[in-house]
Amino acid sequence: MIKVKINGQEQNWDGDPDLPLLWFLRDEAGLTGTKYGCGQALCGSCTVIIDKQAVRACITSVSDVVGRDVTTIEGLHPTGDHPVQKAWRQLNVPQCGYCQTGQIMQGAALLMDNPKPSHDQIREAMAGNICRCGCYQRIENAVHLASTGV
Amino acid sequence: MNILTNPKKLRGFERHLKVENVSRRSILKGLGIAGGFALAAPVMSRPAFAAYETGASKMPHGTVVDPRVFVSIAPDGIVTIVGHRAEMGTGVRTSLPLIVAEEMEADWSRVRVQQAPGNEAKYGNQDTDGSRSTRHYLMPMRQIGASARSMLEAAAAKRWGVPATEVKARNHEVVHAASGRKLGFGELAADAAKESVPGIEGLKLKDPKDFRYLGKGQIGIVDLRDITVGKAHYGADIRLPGMKYAVIARPPVTGGKVKSFDATEAMKVSGVEKVLEVKGWPWPSKFQPLGGVAVIARNTGAAIKGRDALKIVWDDGANGKYDSVAYRASLEEAARKPGLVVRKEGDADAALKSADMVITGEYYVPHLAHVSMEPPVAVADVKGDKCEIWAPVQSAGGTREDVAKTLGIPEANVTVNVTLLGGGFGRKSKCDFAIEAALLSKELGAPVKVQWTREDDVRNGFLHTVSLERIEAGLDKSGKVIAWRHRSVAPTIASTFAAGAKHEAPFELGMGLIDNPFEIANLQCENPEAAAHTRIGWFRAVSNIPRAFAVQSMVAEIASATKRDPKDMLLELIGSPRLVNLSSVKDPWNYGEPYSSYPIDTARLRKVVELVADKGGWGRSVPKGHGLGIAVHRSFVSYIATIVEVAIDGKGKLTVPRVDTAIDCGTYVNPERIESQIEGAAIMGLSLAKYGEITFKDGKVQQGNFDDFPVIRMDESPLVTHVYIVPPGPDTPPSGVGEPGVPPFAPALINAIFAATGKRIRSLPIGKQLEA
Ligand code: FES
Ligand code: FES
């Protein structure tokens, strides 16, 4: 039996300890805000925050997160009003929206690390997150907006 | 849309939402019927009426103009409007209900949107592709809203005992100006439901100058909040009690099948519950599944791990030798010989022979995969002779039909719940993944989710075709183009429906080949044969991608050969403002639209070129290593021109500092979503131009994920994309937005690369061609 802490809540897992955290979150814990896009750390759709760092849940096993704090999009802010989330809504960022939770988590992690990133730093930090709809211009602007106060 | 407080700091926002000089005028659980009142009235047939004719009536099941189907009002005043098309990122789930709200004078903050299940008899055509939603539904949605408004007004007038002409709906209430009395929509709902539905002929539509929402662009999409907090539900997010998770190993070669398999190791994987063979259909079979071996598990991760442990021997079948290198050579060979003539004006052969100069270009575009961010996925629950599906499908009605047929049950027994689509791009027009889920649920007697992995998506999809476009342009002494022969060779989408189809269908020929708008005396289009060896499908903008690439590259090639400005050359070829005469074409297709409403209007084509040249600073001086390229293309009956500024460094690394696009899509609903579509189209265009290539060897796709089929990421996306929307004339019918932005991008980029480096790229993707 493995115990993990997701969004401040203890959860038990009695299955394969190597199960990718992504599928534990989505299929076992019912936290479907974290998305599958590639399974190979290539797209960032599955981004969660672990100990203030953006982490790809698809290549992290459940056993890797024992004793660490996992935050998913559902736990980013109690009312969904994290500055990044607010900036996202202000700029109408999403198209299909599927990549957006991963983008928001990546953006939030970036601002924890660097509260005032330049445009170039944003472009670099967000480059691991693919948006097939192509919302990059707005994502870049929204992260910038969040960093300057919505 | 909130307007920013400090727009200067944000790239691209300095002009955001500035529409060119406008010179003219949380989802409810149920349909509000429980506890509320659907607007109900005696049934009467409502012939489709439109101020302008569209192709909507020719689509399966046409349009339904009936407020009782689309609108309901609860006693508390909440208005629920049905969105019957699929939301894949274009904003249609917001835009169409917004049109209804506009006409019925509903206050958008008190409107909820309800997604319709697949039922075309009830809602009209639901096949969300071809950039058709707004152009087919702007008028029907206005009529629905106007009907609802007049029923509310009639109910209020009766209540007050005054003539209906004295009352007016305004912002969610009906007002009697003379007496100052007011009644809210909620208070009127029950009475309004008893009113008869007015005939379309007598409907009074709002004067566009009174529009509060249409054409304004201040409205965020209805799913905006849910998306940002992780509560938006895509197909992959559906969870049912007792649901099993499945992944399927499908034949690596199109038309292949399972010879034998060994599940011993797979069954040892923790969480795997069952391994079974699933039925496949012989190729081609429209959208039927490929078959293979399914692994059933308690979660997706276990199913994937189980599948990795399967040992399968495949019978590759007839396509086992498909090889992209050899196939390209065969396309080139075919393009160098005469083919089926599909448009002919004058005598191109003779004119090419007598020309003073002939410029020939062969342009290649390989197969492309859609890679929507959400790979195909579906949940099905089959119980006895009933089936319920939850899936991100572009065509809910078509899915219902195909699932019913496959299971051998009546369509009425199949419910297709349409989730949000995590991208579609044409892939999700094919419902094979929903059929797979239905077959497995039937077999297992439990709800099943079938998840495609990214590798499945890349290797077992319905790819964009592979094409060779050969253009010969003949010029006279003065440099005027007197002859144009365009041969287009590509396996056809029709081959996915019928074995042996070798010529492109009218809907493919009509995407940038036979609809060539140039004013050239001797013009001939040909379509030599090409056989398909994999499943070919619609990909955002379809054949327009290779055609615009070829035609718009050739324009710049001619400009360069004759030392003219590419934009001037383009305008010269487009020629005089006129409606292009397509009488020499047997089936001009025209995106399914009547030519009377949607002719090829070269004045509009010229206008977007001139607009983008003006706003986008055509001819401006750029730093060394930079270049500007321009391209224009009409597709999905819209007109779009793009200027790309490219920068190439000493090592051949390409970046895009700026993109400018002008679009004329006629009358429009939500300019903010038009901008987002165009911004996205630039990135999809850059992806396919720079990287997009699926290749086959021994019948198998050689790519699998974003490492070997890369798409553009933020660090290489255009620094800024500007969008200019042409204000429509008072009666300009609406036209497509979702797809038309893609085709002009690649040629504008390629022309910019030529301007920057003198290097002419005729084969996509660019790949390492600039590094040499
Ligand atoms: S799903 Fe994890 S990075 Fe793509
Ligand atoms: S919004 Fe669709 S993938 Fe990013």
Side-chain angles (χ1 to χ4, degrees):
Chain A
M1 177 78 78
I2 293 180
K3 275 195 197 318
V4 292
K5 206 161 145 205
I6 318 277
N7 299 330
Q9 281 197 318
E10 291 262 334
Q11 308 237 16
N12 296 327
W13 174 234
D14 59 1
D16 183 359
D18 293 338
L19 177 70
L21 177 64
L22 169 66
W23 302 115
F24 175 76
L25 293 172
R26 291 184 50 78
D27 297 350
E28 301 287 350
L31 294 165
T32 54
T34 305
K35 305 296 185 198
Y36 166 77
C38 72
Q40 310 270 356
L42 297 166
C43 78
S45 298
C46 64
T47 303
V48 297
I49 297 177
I50 300 179
D51 301 340
K52 300 201 167 169
Q53 285 226 308
V55 167
R56 307 297 186 229
C58 66
I59 54 153
T60 305
S61 24
V62 184
S63 59
D64 290 342
V65 302
V66 173
R68 306 172 72 184
D69 277 324
V70 178
T71 304
T72 69
I73 184 75
E74 290 88 348
L76 181 62
H77 185 277
T79 56
D81 293 318
H82 185 281
V84 173
Q85 289 170 311
K86 284 163 75 177
W88 237 254
R89 294 193 288 265
Q90 196 171 343
L91 296 190
N92 278 327
V93 172
Q95 289 181 37
C96 83
Y98 189 82
C99 73
Q100 301 287 339
T101 51
Q103 306 271 7
I104 288 169
M105 296 306 278
Q106 186 74 40
L110 166 63
L111 297 188
M112 286 177 193
D113 186 48
N114 178 0
K116 296 262 180 261
S118 67
H119 274 284
D120 286 342
Q121 286 170 330
I122 295 171
R123 286 170 74 89
E124 198 190 309
M126 301 298 294
N129 291 68
I130 293 174
C131 175
R132 181 59 163 158
C133 296
C135 306
Y136 296 128
Q137 178 165 316
R138 296 184 190 210
I139 293 169
E140 181 186 331
N141 286 326
V143 174
H144 189 271
L145 184 61
S147 75
T148 51
V150 179
Chain B
M1 175 88 196
N2 294 303
I3 299 302
L4 297 167
T5 40
N6 191 357
K8 287 232 170 61
K9 285 197 179 146
L10 303 180
R11 284 177 178 155
F13 277 76
E14 62 276 8
R15 33 103 358 246
H16 215 77
L17 283 181
K18 195 183 70 195
V19 173
E20 271 315 289
N21 168 38
V22 182
S23 60
R24 60 133 205 163
R25 19 198 205 148
S26 86
I27 308 165
L28 279 190
K29 284 272 139 49
L31 190 56
I33 293 168
F37 301 87
L39 290 167
V43 180
M44 44 194 271
S45 80
R46 308 186 56 90
F49 149 88
Y52 45 84
E53 201 196 337
T54 72
S57 54
K58 281 192 251 133
M59 296 298 292
H61 298 100
T63 55
V64 170
V65 177
D66 190 335
R68 297 160 302 167
V69 170
F70 284 90
V71 181
S72 60
I73 305 172
D76 65 357
I78 293 294
V79 170
T80 300
I81 302 174
V82 170
H84 73 299
R85 311 280 285 180
E87 180 59 85
M88 63 191 108
T90 62
V92 71
R93 216 167 98 84
T94 303
S95 308
L96 295 190
L98 188 69
I99 301 167
V100 177
E102 174 72 80
E103 272 295 344
M104 73 179 281
E105 277 292 321
D107 166 13
W108 187 245
S109 70
R110 282 178 274 176
V111 170
R112 304 290 175 268
V113 174
Q114 165 90 30
Q115 184 70 38
N119 188 341
E120 294 198 343
K122 181 169 178 185
Y123 300 105
N125 185 272
Q126 294 179 286
D127 186 6
T128 315
D129 71 1
S131 300
R132 277 189 295 249
S133 293
T134 302
R135 78 178 192 259
H136 282 184
Y137 284 97
L138 175 64
M139 190 52 75
M141 292 293 142
R142 288 189 67 187
Q143 291 161 350
I144 287 166
S147 287
R149 169 171 34 86
S150 85
M151 289 160 80
L152 287 158
E153 287 172 346
K158 268 190 202 152
R159 188 90 65 90
W160 293 322
V162 300
T165 48
E166 285 181 15
V167 307
K168 218 169 158 36
R170 211 186 53 203
N171 196 30
H172 233 79
E173 55 191 16
V174 180
V175 181
H176 184 238
S179 64
R181 283 175 290 186
K182 289 175 184 171
L183 282 168
F185 280 6
E187 297 167 275
L188 289 167
D191 285 357
K194 293 181 204 132
E195 290 294 323
S196 60
V197 179
I200 290 176
E201 309 70 38
L203 283 179
K204 232 176 110 56
L205 298 178
K206 276 174 77 169
D207 186 329
K209 77 170 174 14
D210 297 327
F211 283 163
R212 300 157 301 149
Y213 306 130
L214 292 202
K216 309 283 191 229
Q218 304 101 330
I219 302 291
I221 53 172
V222 291
D223 299 297
L224 184 56
R225 186 174 182 93
D226 285 347
I227 288 170
T228 61
V229 298
K231 293 212 173 91
H233 283 150
Y234 300 86
D237 301 333
I238 302 300
R239 305 171 83 239
L240 301 177
M243 187 177 83
K244 306 289 182 196
Y245 295 81
V247 297
I248 300 174
R250 297 176 189 80
V253 177
T254 305
K257 24 181 217 273
V258 180
K259 216 186 248 172
S260 64
F261 71 95
D262 176 358
T264 320
E265 293 305 311
M267 285 303 295
K268 287 183 194 158
V269 172
S270 167
V272 170
E273 295 171 359
K274 198 169 177 148
V275 174
L276 68 159
E277 192 172 337
V278 288
K279 183 173 152 74
W281 274 253
W283 172 77
S285 58
K286 195 185 158 196
F287 309 147
Q288 293 304 107
L290 296 168
V293 181
V295 179
I296 315 298
R298 68 170 284 180
N299 60 55
T300 315
I304 293 172
K305 198 167 170 184
R307 187 177 70 172
D308 289 345
L310 279 177
K311 293 190 186 70
I312 307 175
V313 181
W314 301 100
D315 172 356
D316 285 344
N319 292 318
K321 294 211 167 60
Y322 187 32
D323 181 294
S324 291
V325 176
Y327 193 77
R328 177 177 180 159
S330 75
L331 290 179
E332 284 166 355
E333 201 186 320
R336 288 167 195 162
K337 291 186 207 139
L340 181 70
V341 176
V342 289
R343 179 171 170 188
K344 183 176 167 70
E345 275 138 44
D347 187 342
D349 286 340
L352 281 168
K353 271 192 204 113
S354 69
D356 282 274
M357 189 198 307
V358 175
I359 302 169
T360 303
E362 290 183 352
Y363 305 92
Y364 178 75
V365 179
H367 284 303
L368 301 168
H370 307 78
V371 293
S372 55
M373 217 60 229
E374 175 196 44
V377 59
V379 172
D381 189 8
V382 177
K383 284 201 184 86
D385 65 350
K386 298 227 163 34
C387 174
E388 187 159 9
I389 304 263
W390 291 259
V393 284
Q394 288 178 238
S395 178
T399 302
R400 191 181 191 214
E401 238 171 73
D402 288 355
V403 167
K405 237 182 258 165
T406 306
L407 296 181
I409 58 178
E411 247 184 74
N413 290 9
V414 177
T415 305
V416 176
N417 303 290
V418 185
T419 64
L420 288 176
L421 282 65
F425 313 122
R427 171 60 184 92
K428 291 169 183 168
S429 293
K430 301 92 173 177
C431 60
D432 54 334
F433 47 100
I435 301 175
E436 287 175 339
L439 288 169
L440 276 174
S441 174
K442 184 179 171 178
E443 180 84 20
L444 297 168
V448 175
K449 177 190 290 179
V450 172
Q451 174 72 57
W452 284 48
T453 63
R454 178 61 60 203
E455 289 79 5
D456 300 341
D457 177 45
V458 170
R459 293 180 182 146
N460 290 121
F462 294 77
L463 297 174
H464 171 72
T465 190
V466 46
S467 53
L468 203 289
E469 309 281 330
R470 180 186 163 95
I471 298 175
E472 293 151 274
L475 282 63
D476 69 11
K477 257 198 231 47
S478 69
K480 183 176 161 59
V481 177
I482 52 162
W484 182 277
R485 180 163 59 207
H486 183 164
R487 290 199 191 114
S488 174
V489 204
T492 170
I493 291 169
S495 66
T496 298
F497 294 77
K502 286 190 177 153
H503 284 295
E504 296 188 64
F507 69 82
E508 291 164 311
L509 300 171
M511 293 192 186
L513 181 67
I514 54 173
D515 50 338
N516 184 310
F518 293 162
E519 201 165 30
I520 300 172
N522 305 288
L523 188 148
Q524 182 153 318
C525 303
E526 300 174 26
N527 175 226
E529 288 187 352
H533 299 288
T534 189
R535 300 197 292 186
I536 310 291
W538 298 270
F539 175 105
R540 187 182 188 183
V542 202
S543 309
N544 288 297
I545 295 169
R547 304 271 171 61
F549 171 51
V551 171
Q552 296 296 308
S553 293
M554 177 51 84
V555 173
E557 296 213 36
I558 298 168
S560 152
T562 57
K563 304 204 167 25
R564 271 177 290 180
D565 174 79
K567 183 210 78 179
D568 295 343
M569 187 72 236
L570 186 51
L571 290 173
E572 182 182 314
L573 278 164
I574 294 169
S576 58
R578 68 198 189 285
L579 304 184
V580 173
N581 183 344
L582 286 184
S583 57
S584 76
V585 177
K586 200 160 78 189
D587 181 355
W589 187 55
N590 200 36
Y591 299 88
E593 303 303 331
Y595 204 73
S596 50
S597 311
Y598 291 95
I600 302 172
D601 182 343
T602 57
R604 293 176 73 185
L605 201 60
R606 294 181 68 94
K607 166 88 196 202
V608 288
V609 172
E610 281 156 358
L611 179 63
V612 81
D614 175 30
K615 299 282 176 187
W618 179 255
R620 70 180 182 264
S621 71
V622 291
K624 198 169 172 302
H626 291 227
L628 299 178
I630 190 167
V632 69
H633 192 67
R634 172 188 181 266
S635 66
F636 305 92
V637 291
S638 281
Y639 303 80
I640 303 210
T642 293
I643 293 174
V644 173
E645 178 182 348
V646 80
I648 319 273
D649 73 9
K651 294 197 186 81
K653 186 171 175 283
L654 171 167
T655 49
V656 178
R658 177 171 164 184
V659 178
D660 293 87
T661 291
I663 172 168
D664 177 354
C665 56
T667 299
Y668 52 78
V669 176
N670 191 350
E672 187 277 324
R673 285 293 97 178
I674 296 172
E675 295 196 339
S676 68
Q677 284 301 295
I678 301 304
E679 289 162 14
I683 287 156
M684 190 167 269
L686 185 56
S687 286
L688 73 90
K690 201 167 170 184
Y691 298 124
E693 180 166 36
I694 295 290
T695 55
F696 284 80
K697 193 162 173 51
D698 300 324
K700 301 178 183 79
V701 171
Q702 291 179 287
Q703 293 73 26
N705 211 316
F706 292 117
D707 49 353
D708 47 18
F709 185 73
V711 296
I712 293 298
R713 296 166 179 277
M714 188 186 282
D715 58 344
E716 46 188 348
S717 70
L719 277 187
V720 61
T721 298
H722 296 149
V723 184
Y724 315 100
I725 305 173
V726 174
D731 301 308
T732 319
S735 50
V737 171
E739 296 168 270
V742 175
F745 188 89
L749 174 75
I750 296 300
N751 291 339
I753 291 171
F754 180 80
T757 65
K759 202 168 162 102
R760 172 57 58 185
I761 289 174
R762 299 193 184 90
S763 178
L764 293 185
I766 296 162
K768 295 189 192 320
Q769 293 179 71
L770 293 172
E771 288 172 22

